[in-house]
Amino acid sequence: MTKLKSNLIQFPIQQHLGHSRVVTLPVSPERHQSCVTAIAILKREHQAIPPLQPQIPSESSHSNRREWQHLVAQADKINQLAAELEAAIFGLKAIANQIDYTQQLSGSACEYRSVVVPQVKRRNTNEFILTTKVIDLFQVEREAQQLAQTLRQKTKTKQKFPLLNWLL
């Protein structure tokens, strides 16, 4: 900051990207000292403190790489265990269905509620999301019913028009 005349003050202003320029402002003589003090305070407050950069030893990058590999391996392990758990749940359902069929129980051997298993998804190279996957225990039965219904409709069409059977 430089005093040019009694009514002008010149001081540098830091702009973005490290560029600075000098600004000259008119100031009345009675306000000169308070402006000089205010400018000094503003300059001090606006001086950027550089962000702390952690001192990473050279072997730390190798350690960091190992930790990421361990994280990926753990995510894969969770997904593998979830797949095994899903297969075991379908196995449980198949056994319960067999018991229901052979013993002709009045109720069901197993009651089914909402079933989910954990799942780790990878959003991009360095972000993992731990979430759940819904297991639809009755999807196969619905698909079988839909197929049976489609086949019945085709059979009814053939029965309605027996002369067209030889074309189909």
Side-chain angles (χ1 to χ4, degrees), residues 95 130 142 155:
I95 294 168
L130 179 61
R142 280 194 306 276
T155 304

Side-chain angles (χ1 to χ4, degrees), residues 5 14 24 37-38 61-62 86 112 119 125 134 154 165:
K5 293 182 182 175
Q14 185 77 23
T24 303
T37 306
S61 63
H62 179 67
E86 183 178 354
Y112 305 101
Q119 180 180 36
T125 58
V134 177
K154 285 184 178 182
N165 285 341

